[in-house]
């Protein structure tokens, strides 16, 4: 949540930082601001709303030393005063912060008792006041001393009016990447915002600070010892982080899925033995064989991927699997018995609750495998092993291609576990064959986009929906409902169809349609009976069903056919249809699809 961008170099950093902010705007878009050293003064511009509003306010200003911020409000309302940067009283120091200062209240009270007047309601504002108070000519030292006083997770950027050629940045629990250019340096919360300028990057680790000057980048650890850190190479392409011909990133990312699903499988098959080879697992054969129980932690869409996996690991590998929402799990004082293997799923690898859950689990001695998309992310670094999704940058706030890639990678992992236990080689080969067909099957769902758009338009004025499914289609229903809520702002309940009679069916009438996810063959007949019950109460039914299914047209008002596959992989195919349905509903309702209100791409605060 919140994004930082900074620049130090010979070019006009304001233009570069505004462009950078637009690339990380998905991290928060309540308000934005920019601070720059110009002629021995700090100039600061802020505005509520999107970056374009700020751009107009700034006009043609120019500076070589700039910090910028896009905000997702935590402490304090969405106002110009609460937008970053924040300054000290003498306007000497400006700070942008991503994260939370947990002990800001006592610090604020102390500073106020010394006569300092606060201009905002934010936690972040304590920092420039502290830095200004501690400053004796050495900006790095003052920043470091101020950071010692604060508790929390943060990434910061700081400039001083008397240091036109110095930019200080620091990170602790929130991502910050330094892009090393030729004679210029960039800083961003996300490496995707740097790739247009440089591929050479340094990921700051927790507790590290950097002093950036025209001479280069000096990195210091938490004890202020200067350390040397190698630059890393960014691997993704510029095209991956552009919209291309698509109207929205979300649509582009939905349509990328044949390729991203292919990438998730690439060179991971071991066809001859009907199994897979997973580079990055970092576990030996004994670790894998001794696994008695799996615990999955994740949030949001990643939690839904974990939920599907819990069915799959039990079905295919017969390993008892528990799946938990990280934000609840971290406060449970969890029991993690010996033989428990943990899987943490996170597209960004920066979700605060998932990282906290992982730290708690590791303290209890269990091994953690991360399923991540972002290279260098906190989770990828902290887990014992990491399987990358290779889905490319996901810019749309609503997660689409990451979900299907998570399911593919977790299917491969389940298959490996199954083959190491009781699954025969032939069966393993059949599953691999079914996986191989997924990209072209997804393509055929994408080709049904005009039909899905027509159905979405027909229902776009309805404001309450149920998404129903059983077995593998239940977590798929949760995911379908989440998409509709988040991008179309439509109330949607994902529910196990068999539970409807226990209460929710009271809501069914002609104004509350059901999206029925019917592609689980084991429970297909049971689901049809549940749909009959909804139909008998005048509920409209939109069915997403595997080709060849019998009897659905008698029940459903609208039917979307998707290619048939194993029940285990049906969530991958069905989800593409629910993504398109949500997208076209949102479009018809005029919602801000790539940046839905109140949301941010990575939830880096609790
Ligand atoms: O980066 P993560 O996978 O850890 O993010 C978890 C959730 O915040 C995320 O999936 C969220 O629910 C998406 N906006 C859903 O589309």
């Amino acid at each position: 949540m919140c994004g930082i961008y900074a620049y130090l170099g010979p070019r006009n950093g304001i233009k570069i930082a505004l462009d950078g902010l637009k690339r990380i705007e998905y991290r928060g878009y309540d308000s934005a601001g920019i601070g720059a050293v110009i002629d021995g003064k700090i100039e600061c511009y802020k505005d509520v709303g999107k970056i374009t509003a700020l751009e107009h306010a700034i006009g043609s200003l120019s500076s070589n030393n700039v910090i910028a911020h896009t905000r997702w409000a935590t402490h304090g309302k969405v106002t110009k005063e609460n937008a970053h940067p924040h300054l000290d009283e003498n306007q000497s120091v400006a700070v942008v912060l991503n994260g939370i200062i947990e002990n800001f209240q006592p610090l604020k009270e102390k500073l106020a008792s010394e006569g300092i007047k606060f201009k905002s309601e934010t936690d972040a504002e304590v920092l420039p006041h502290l830095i200004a108070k501690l400053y004796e000519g050495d900006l790095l030292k003052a920043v470091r001393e101020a950071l010692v006083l604060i508790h929390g997770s943060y990434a910061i950027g700081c400039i001083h009016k008397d240091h036109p050629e110095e930019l200080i940045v620091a990170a602790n629990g929130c991502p910050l990447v330094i892009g090393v250019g030729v004679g210029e340096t960039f800083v961003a919360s996300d490496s995707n915002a740097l790739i247009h300028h440089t591929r050479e990057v340094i990921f700051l680790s927790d507790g590290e600070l950097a002093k950036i000057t025209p001479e280069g980048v000096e990195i210091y650890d938490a004890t202020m010892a200067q350390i040397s850190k190698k630059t890393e190479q960014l691997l993704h392409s510029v095209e991956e982080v552009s919209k291309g011909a698509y109207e929205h990133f979300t649509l582009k990312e939905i349509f990328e899925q044949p390729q991203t699903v292919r990438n998730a499988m690439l060179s991971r098959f071991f066809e001859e033995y009907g199994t897979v080879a997973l580079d990055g697992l970092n576990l030996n054969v004994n670790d894998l064989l001794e696994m008695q129980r799996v615990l999955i932690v994740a949030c949001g869409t990643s939690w839904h991927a974990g939920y599907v996996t819990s069915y799959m690991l039990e079905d295919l590998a017969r390993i008892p699997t528990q799946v938990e929402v990280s934000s609840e799990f971290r406060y449970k004082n969890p029991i993690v018995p010996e033989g428990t293997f943990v899987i943490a799923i996170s597209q960004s690898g920066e979700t605060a609750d998932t990282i906290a859950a992982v730290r708690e689990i590791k303290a209890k001695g269990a091994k953690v495998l991360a399923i991540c998309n972002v290279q260098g992310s906190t989770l990828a670094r902290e887990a014992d092993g990491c399987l990358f999704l290779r889905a490319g940058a996901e810019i749309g706030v609503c997660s689409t291609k990451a979900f299907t890639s998570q399911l593919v990678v977790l299917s491969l992992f389940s298959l490996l576990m199954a083959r190491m236990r009781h699954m025969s080689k032939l069966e393993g080969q059949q599953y691999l064959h079914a996986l191989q067909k997924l990209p072209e099957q997804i393509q055929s769902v994408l080709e049904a986009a005009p039909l899905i758009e027509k159905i979405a338009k027909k229902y776009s004025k309805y404001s309450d929906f149920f998404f129903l499914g059983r077995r593998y289609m239940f977590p798929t229903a949760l995911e379908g409902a989440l998409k509709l809520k988040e991008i179309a702002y439509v109330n949607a309940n994902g529910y196990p169809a068999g539970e409807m009679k226990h209460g929710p069916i009271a809501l069914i009438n002609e104004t509350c349609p059901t999206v029925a996810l019917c592609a689980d063959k084991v429970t297909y007949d049971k689901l049809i009976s549940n749909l009959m019950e909804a139909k008998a109460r005048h509920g409209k039914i939109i069915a997403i069903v595997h080709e060849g299914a019998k009897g659905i047209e008698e029940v459903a008002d609208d039917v979307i056919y998707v290619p048939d596959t194993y029940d285990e992989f049906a969530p991958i195919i069905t989800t593409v249809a629910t993504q398109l349905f949500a997208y076209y509903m949102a479009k018809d309702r005029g919602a801000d699809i790539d940046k839905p209100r109140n949301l941010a791409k990575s939830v880096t605060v609790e």
Side-chain angles (χ1 to χ4, degrees), residues 28-323:
Y29 32 85
D30 295 341
S31 51
I34 206 156
V37 186
I38 302 174
D39 299 333
K41 282 206 298 216
I42 292 199
E43 297 286 347
C44 186
Y45 287 83
K46 312 180 192 190
D47 218 329
V48 166
K50 301 273 165 65
I51 312 294
T52 37
L54 177 70
E55 203 165 18
H56 290 130
I58 291 178
S60 59
L61 209 66
S62 175
S63 170
N64 306 121
N65 189 3
V66 178
I67 52 173
H69 187 266
T70 180
R71 179 170 187 247
W72 188 87
T74 56
H75 293 65
K77 290 181 282 297
V78 180
T79 62
K80 202 166 169 174
E81 292 70 37
N82 289 337
H84 299 217
H86 292 287
L87 277 72
D88 67 308
E89 285 198 304
N90 295 327
Q91 318 236 316
S92 308
V93 179
V95 172
V96 287
L97 177 134
N98 167 24
I100 288 187
I101 301 178
E102 284 162 8
N103 60 335
F104 85 100
Q105 202 59 51
L107 291 171
K108 187 171 178 174
E109 280 161 20
K110 181 152 188 304
L111 289 164
S113 73
E114 291 166 11
I116 288 173
K117 302 238 172 334
F118 280 78
K119 293 199 172 64
S120 77
E121 304 157 303
T122 65
D123 52 338
E125 197 190 336
V126 297
L127 206 50
H129 294 302
L130 284 174
I131 295 169
K133 194 175 138 181
L134 295 161
Y135 176 75
E136 290 171 341
D138 184 340
L139 183 59
L140 177 69
K141 185 165 169 279
V143 172
R144 144 87 183 148
E145 285 172 4
L147 293 180
V148 168
L149 301 175
I150 68 171
H151 307 153
S153 296
Y154 54 79
I156 67 148
C158 174
I159 50 174
H160 192 289
K161 72 176 177 54
D162 297 335
H163 297 259
E165 297 202 319
E166 196 172 319
L167 169 63
I168 307 293
V169 296
N172 188 41
C174 288
L176 206 62
V177 196
I178 300 173
V180 183
V182 181
E184 55 186 355
T185 308
F186 312 80
V187 180
S189 298
D190 181 339
S191 60
N192 292 330
L194 300 174
I195 197 148
H196 297 76
H197 298 294
T198 178
R199 289 185 174 278
E200 299 287 319
V201 296
I202 301 170
F203 292 94
L204 277 195
S205 301
D206 287 356
E208 289 178 353
L209 295 94
K211 175 175 165 175
I212 299 164
T213 64
E215 280 68 55
V217 182
E218 294 169 11
I219 311 275
Y220 296 86
D221 69 11
T223 66
M224 275 304 270
Q226 192 171 347
I227 53 173
S228 81
K229 264 189 117 161
K230 279 210 196 96
T231 56
E232 293 179 41
Q233 277 274 343
L234 291 178
L235 301 176
H236 47 277
S237 67
V238 174
E239 292 71 48
E240 274 177 34
V241 292
S242 327
K243 251 191 289 191
Y246 288 93
E247 197 176 340
H248 295 100
F249 276 109
T250 305
L251 189 63
K252 175 179 176 245
E253 287 159 9
I254 292 173
F255 273 81
E256 275 171 5
Q257 290 175 109
Q259 191 54 45
T260 50
V261 156
R262 203 172 280 123
N263 291 349
M265 295 189 263
L266 202 70
S267 63
R268 284 174 165 163
F269 279 25
F270 209 152
E271 250 176 301
E272 200 186 335
Y273 292 100
T275 188
V276 298
L278 297 175
D279 203 26
L281 260 188
N282 204 17
L283 296 167
N284 61 37
V285 177
N286 283 344
D287 290 331
L288 297 174
L289 285 173
E290 281 162 15
M291 188 182 302
Q292 283 164 30
R293 189 175 159 268
V294 171
L295 168 64
I296 302 177
V297 289
C299 295
T301 287
S302 297
W303 174 60
H304 298 155
Y307 215 140
V308 173
T309 309
S310 70
Y311 284 80
M312 202 152 49
L313 271 171
E314 294 199 344
D315 266 357
L316 297 182
R318 309 298 299 148
I319 303 176
T321 305
Q322 174 190 353
V323 56

